[in-house]
Amino acid sequence: MSGLCGWVGAADSAALDAMLGAIAYRGDRTDREVSPQAALGYRWWGGRPGKSPSLFREGPHLAACAGTLAPSVPFPAAELPTLLADGPEGEARRQSVDGAFAGAWWDADRARLTLVRDPFGVRSLYYVEHRGAFYFASELKQLLQIPGLPIELDPSAVHKYLTFSFVPGEDVPIRGIRRLLPGHVGVWERGQFISRPYVHLREQIEPSLEEQPAAVRRVRDRLQQAVARRLNGEREVGLYLSGGLDSSGVAVWLKQAGVGVQAFSLDFGERSVEREQAQTVADHLGIPLTFVPVQGADVEAAFWDLVWKLDLPFGDPVTGPQYLLGQAARSAGLSAVFNGEGGDQLFGGWTNKPMIAAELYADLFGADSREERYLESYHRFYGREDDLYTPAFAASVGGPGQRRALLAPYLSGGAASTFLHRIRLADLALKGSQSILPRAERLTNAWALDLRAPLFDRALTEMAFSLPPSLKLRGASDKHILKLILQNQLPKEIVWRRKYGMSVPITDWVLGPLAGLVAELVGAGALARRGLFRDEYVGRLRRGEPEPGETRRRRIGERLWTLVMLEGWLRVFVDGRGRPPGGSVPPGGSMPSAGSPGAG
């Protein structure tokens, strides 16, 4: 529920106020410091448990930290000079630091700016160099307030988005603006920015954890600690309770920590999948549960604010319902919410099974089956580019191999020897840290809520990679060790049932109540103006026509929603330069030609 921004170099001091104003929903108080060499601004909510007061000042040195460390400390910004220091002391501190934070430290004596991002990417940091100054900010929309900054679409980043349904890597879909990766430290000094990782996850199977009872005890203790470490003085917190194993486990550990819990669960009416299971868990643990009804019309009403608050395009259809969950939690008077995200990434969820089957029978699919199957597992537009892309857009996205290069360090690198842990590394670094966590943080902060994701805990994650794969996937039982830990804490039908996952009825919505929005954003006229996609292909999606061999009707809605969210993002952040869509939303523009200076 806080944000920061600033620059190094020469810039107009009015830009600092504009960048702070762009994230007014992240706090009711601001602090700022402008010097001849650097500026730093910070926005936060006053009167909240565990919130630090403002910027940390030590002579000419400045620091700000958006977010919290785990376990919490009274003044996170004051920790940054030690955390980011050179030498053994700083290195030792970085080896154990955890939490949900993004920080900036200006060392005036060395004229050096250091940026840091939490291990798994809950908080974000963007940066750009413009007219002799190096700018940085918590959100993309803040950087778009910089006077004269060119706004030009980056087709390569869009190309990746259309495969993953989020934008992976350091680039964003606006040329020149980049992100610090999760678990990285970046230094701007003498006109150069260099980033390096401080988190290095590796598979290191621990022999003592080969024994099931020992593994259950150790992992159970880490799970309890991970939840307790993320309590920051609140007497009561919210919980997004799906009825699945992961969020139900977080409910158990919150109760054990002695904090009051209010649970919230999505209700899609007759299309709900786990509504009864969520109620069973709440009743079993004695937790009040609020069902939040969501239909297509509700998502349409929230659409433009959703796009703006997300800051980047995210094509997962759960974003709209999650936005409305946040609204309900805030209306209940809460300031922090927990979720159960991360269990699949840590402990081998059901999505691993097709990948493992493809690996076992790789000879049937060819030498590239590992990367192919991973990219196809996102079920968007990988392999469909010839049908979707216009010739001009296809020519602009760059050469082949960009998406596979993102996978190579994990699926083929030396950090893991077992195939299951290779997938886990890829899922954590990509889907977890660059999609699940940042979008969840933005959708909670949209309603002045702090996000707590205890399963993305550093010590817990390191332990997860010391477990033998047989404790994660055992036959048809996924996340096996979590089931062993929770089998005496939750009803049997919750622990041992088959996983169904979040099932947003997106195809029904985009072909029904959202059809008007779909036509406005990706109808034939809108597609022709933008110049990115072929109407022959998108038109089949709008008509609800399945692709040959596609057996799941949900894929129609998922693909169409991915395109709708992209066009909405383009209108707000490229055509509208990131301005809040309180008035009229800009009409769709066109793809800039090669070398175009953009709208700036």
CSV table of all heavy atoms in Angstrom, one decimal, residues 74-103:
chain,number,residue,atom,x,y,z
A,74,PRO,N,10.4,-2.0,12.1
A,74,PRO,CA,9.7,-0.7,12.3
A,74,PRO,C,9.9,0.2,11.1
A,74,PRO,O,9.0,1.0,10.8
A,74,PRO,CB,10.4,-0.2,13.6
A,74,PRO,CG,10.9,-1.4,14.3
A,74,PRO,CD,11.4,-2.3,13.3
A,75,PHE,N,11.1,0.2,10.5
A,75,PHE,CA,11.4,1.2,9.5
A,75,PHE,C,12.2,0.6,8.4
A,75,PHE,O,13.4,0.6,8.3
A,75,PHE,CB,12.2,2.3,10.1
A,75,PHE,CG,12.2,3.6,9.4
A,75,PHE,CD1,12.8,4.8,10.0
A,75,PHE,CD2,11.7,3.8,8.1
A,75,PHE,CE1,12.8,6.0,9.3
A,75,PHE,CE2,11.7,4.9,7.4
A,75,PHE,CZ,12.3,6.1,8.0
A,76,PRO,N,11.5,-0.1,7.4
A,76,PRO,CA,12.2,-0.8,6.4
A,76,PRO,C,13.3,0.0,5.6
A,76,PRO,O,14.3,-0.5,5.2
A,76,PRO,CB,11.1,-1.3,5.4
A,76,PRO,CG,9.9,-1.4,6.3
A,76,PRO,CD,10.1,-0.3,7.3
A,77,ALA,N,12.9,1.3,5.3
A,77,ALA,CA,13.9,2.1,4.5
A,77,ALA,C,15.2,2.2,5.3
A,77,ALA,O,16.3,2.3,4.6
A,77,ALA,CB,13.3,3.5,4.3
A,78,ALA,N,15.2,2.3,6.6
A,78,ALA,CA,16.4,2.4,7.4
A,78,ALA,C,17.3,1.2,7.2
A,78,ALA,O,18.5,1.2,7.5
A,78,ALA,CB,16.1,2.7,8.8
A,79,GLU,N,16.7,0.0,6.8
A,79,GLU,CA,17.5,-1.2,6.6
A,79,GLU,C,18.3,-1.2,5.3
A,79,GLU,O,19.2,-2.0,5.1
A,79,GLU,CB,16.6,-2.4,6.7
A,79,GLU,CG,15.8,-2.6,7.9
A,79,GLU,CD,16.6,-3.0,9.1
A,79,GLU,OE1,17.5,-3.9,8.9
A,79,GLU,OE2,16.4,-2.5,10.2
A,80,LEU,N,17.9,-0.4,4.4
A,80,LEU,CA,18.4,-0.5,3.0
A,80,LEU,C,19.9,-0.2,3.0
A,80,LEU,O,20.7,-0.9,2.2
A,80,LEU,CB,17.7,0.5,2.1
A,80,LEU,CG,16.3,0.1,1.7
A,80,LEU,CD1,15.7,1.1,0.7
A,80,LEU,CD2,16.1,-1.3,1.2
A,81,PRO,N,20.5,0.8,3.7
A,81,PRO,CA,22.0,1.0,3.6
A,81,PRO,C,22.7,-0.2,4.0
A,81,PRO,O,23.8,-0.5,3.3
A,81,PRO,CB,22.2,2.2,4.5
A,81,PRO,CG,20.9,3.0,4.5
A,81,PRO,CD,19.9,1.9,4.4
A,82,THR,N,22.3,-1.0,5.0
A,82,THR,CA,23.0,-2.2,5.4
A,82,THR,C,22.7,-3.3,4.4
A,82,THR,O,23.6,-4.1,3.9
A,82,THR,CB,22.5,-2.7,6.8
A,82,THR,OG1,22.8,-1.6,7.7
A,82,THR,CG2,23.2,-4.0,7.2
A,83,LEU,N,21.4,-3.5,3.9
A,83,LEU,CA,21.0,-4.5,3.0
A,83,LEU,C,21.8,-4.4,1.7
A,83,LEU,O,22.2,-5.4,1.1
A,83,LEU,CB,19.5,-4.5,2.8
A,83,LEU,CG,18.9,-5.4,1.7
A,83,LEU,CD1,19.1,-6.8,2.1
A,83,LEU,CD2,17.5,-5.1,1.5
A,84,LEU,N,22.0,-3.2,1.2
A,84,LEU,CA,22.6,-2.9,-0.1
A,84,LEU,C,24.0,-2.6,-0.1
A,84,LEU,O,24.6,-2.2,-1.1
A,84,LEU,CB,21.8,-1.8,-0.8
A,84,LEU,CG,20.3,-2.1,-1.0
A,84,LEU,CD1,19.6,-0.9,-1.6
A,84,LEU,CD2,20.1,-3.4,-1.8
A,85,ALA,N,24.7,-2.7,1.1
A,85,ALA,CA,26.1,-2.3,1.2
A,85,ALA,C,27.0,-3.3,0.5
A,85,ALA,O,26.6,-4.5,0.4
A,85,ALA,CB,26.5,-2.2,2.7
A,86,ASP,N,28.1,-2.8,0.0
A,86,ASP,CA,29.1,-3.7,-0.5
A,86,ASP,C,29.8,-4.5,0.6
A,86,ASP,O,29.7,-4.1,1.8
A,86,ASP,CB,30.2,-2.9,-1.2
A,86,ASP,CG,29.6,-2.2,-2.5
A,86,ASP,OD1,28.7,-2.7,-3.1
A,86,ASP,OD2,30.2,-1.2,-2.9
A,87,GLY,N,30.4,-5.6,0.3
A,87,GLY,CA,31.2,-6.3,1.3
A,87,GLY,C,30.4,-7.4,2.0
A,87,GLY,O,29.2,-7.6,1.7
A,88,PRO,N,31.0,-8.1,2.9
A,88,PRO,CA,30.4,-9.3,3.6
A,88,PRO,C,29.2,-9.0,4.3
A,88,PRO,O,28.2,-9.8,4.3
A,88,PRO,CB,31.5,-9.7,4.5
A,88,PRO,CG,32.8,-9.2,4.0
A,88,PRO,CD,32.4,-7.9,3.4
A,89,GLU,N,29.1,-7.8,5.0
A,89,GLU,CA,27.9,-7.5,5.8
A,89,GLU,C,26.6,-7.4,4.9
A,89,GLU,O,25.6,-8.0,5.2
A,89,GLU,CB,28.0,-6.2,6.6
A,89,GLU,CG,26.8,-5.9,7.5
A,89,GLU,CD,27.0,-4.6,8.3
A,89,GLU,OE1,28.0,-3.9,8.0
A,89,GLU,OE2,26.2,-4.4,9.2
A,90,GLY,N,26.7,-6.7,3.8
A,90,GLY,CA,25.6,-6.6,2.9
A,90,GLY,C,25.3,-7.9,2.2
A,90,GLY,O,24.1,-8.3,2.1
A,91,GLU,N,26.3,-8.6,1.8
A,91,GLU,CA,26.1,-9.9,1.2
A,91,GLU,C,25.4,-10.9,2.1
A,91,GLU,O,24.4,-11.6,1.7
A,91,GLU,CB,27.4,-10.5,0.8
A,91,GLU,CG,27.3,-11.9,0.0
A,91,GLU,CD,26.6,-11.8,-1.3
A,91,GLU,OE1,26.6,-10.7,-1.9
A,91,GLU,OE2,26.0,-12.8,-1.7
A,92,ALA,N,25.8,-10.9,3.4
A,92,ALA,CA,25.1,-11.8,4.3
A,92,ALA,C,23.7,-11.4,4.6
A,92,ALA,O,22.8,-12.3,4.7
A,92,ALA,CB,25.9,-11.7,5.7
A,93,ARG,N,23.4,-10.1,4.6
A,93,ARG,CA,22.0,-9.7,4.8
A,93,ARG,C,21.1,-10.0,3.6
A,93,ARG,O,20.0,-10.4,3.8
A,93,ARG,CB,22.0,-8.1,5.0
A,93,ARG,CG,20.6,-7.6,5.3
A,93,ARG,CD,20.2,-7.9,6.7
A,93,ARG,NE,18.9,-7.3,7.0
A,93,ARG,CZ,17.7,-8.0,6.8
A,93,ARG,NH1,17.7,-9.2,6.3
A,93,ARG,NH2,16.6,-7.4,7.1
A,94,ARG,N,21.7,-9.9,2.4
A,94,ARG,CA,20.9,-10.3,1.2
A,94,ARG,C,20.6,-11.8,1.1
A,94,ARG,O,19.7,-12.2,0.4
A,94,ARG,CB,21.6,-9.8,0.0
A,94,ARG,CG,21.6,-8.3,-0.2
A,94,ARG,CD,22.1,-7.8,-1.5
A,94,ARG,NE,23.5,-8.0,-1.7
A,94,ARG,CZ,24.5,-7.2,-1.4
A,94,ARG,NH1,24.2,-6.1,-0.7
A,94,ARG,NH2,25.8,-7.5,-1.6
A,95,GLN,N,21.4,-12.6,1.7
A,95,GLN,CA,21.2,-14.0,1.7
A,95,GLN,C,20.0,-14.5,2.4
A,95,GLN,O,19.5,-15.6,2.2
A,95,GLN,CB,22.5,-14.8,2.1
A,95,GLN,CG,23.7,-14.6,1.2
A,95,GLN,CD,23.4,-14.9,-0.2
A,95,GLN,OE1,22.9,-16.0,-0.5
A,95,GLN,NE2,23.6,-14.0,-1.1
A,96,SER,N,19.5,-13.6,3.3
A,96,SER,CA,18.3,-14.1,4.1
A,96,SER,C,17.1,-13.1,4.0
A,96,SER,O,16.1,-13.4,4.6
A,96,SER,CB,18.7,-14.2,5.6
A,96,SER,OG,19.2,-13.0,6.1
A,97,VAL,N,17.3,-12.0,3.4
A,97,VAL,CA,16.2,-11.0,3.3
A,97,VAL,C,15.0,-11.6,2.6
A,97,VAL,O,15.1,-12.3,1.6
A,97,VAL,CB,16.7,-9.7,2.7
A,97,VAL,CG1,16.9,-9.9,1.2
A,97,VAL,CG2,15.6,-8.6,2.9
A,98,ASP,N,13.8,-11.2,3.1
A,98,ASP,CA,12.6,-11.7,2.6
A,98,ASP,C,11.5,-10.7,2.8
A,98,ASP,O,11.7,-9.7,3.6
A,98,ASP,CB,12.2,-13.1,3.2
A,98,ASP,CG,11.2,-13.8,2.4
A,98,ASP,OD1,10.9,-13.4,1.2
A,98,ASP,OD2,10.6,-14.8,2.9
A,99,GLY,N,10.4,-10.8,2.1
A,99,GLY,CA,9.3,-9.9,2.3
A,99,GLY,C,8.7,-9.5,0.9
A,99,GLY,O,8.8,-10.2,-0.1
A,100,ALA,N,7.9,-8.4,1.0
A,100,ALA,CA,7.3,-7.9,-0.2
A,100,ALA,C,7.7,-6.4,-0.3
A,100,ALA,O,7.1,-5.6,0.3
A,100,ALA,CB,5.8,-8.0,-0.2
A,101,PHE,N,8.7,-6.1,-1.0
A,101,PHE,CA,9.3,-4.7,-1.0
A,101,PHE,C,10.0,-4.4,-2.3
A,101,PHE,O,10.4,-5.2,-3.1
A,101,PHE,CB,10.3,-4.6,0.2
A,101,PHE,CG,11.5,-5.6,0.1
A,101,PHE,CD1,12.6,-5.2,-0.6
A,101,PHE,CD2,11.4,-6.8,0.6
A,101,PHE,CE1,13.7,-6.0,-0.7
A,101,PHE,CE2,12.5,-7.7,0.5
A,101,PHE,CZ,13.6,-7.3,-0.2
A,102,ALA,N,10.1,-3.1,-2.5
A,102,ALA,CA,10.9,-2.5,-3.5
A,102,ALA,C,11.6,-1.3,-2.9
A,102,ALA,O,10.9,-0.5,-2.3
A,102,ALA,CB,10.2,-2.1,-4.8
A,103,GLY,N,12.9,-1.1,-3.1
A,103,GLY,CA,13.6,-0.1,-2.4
A,103,GLY,C,14.5,0.7,-3.3
A,103,GLY,O,15.0,0.2,-4.3
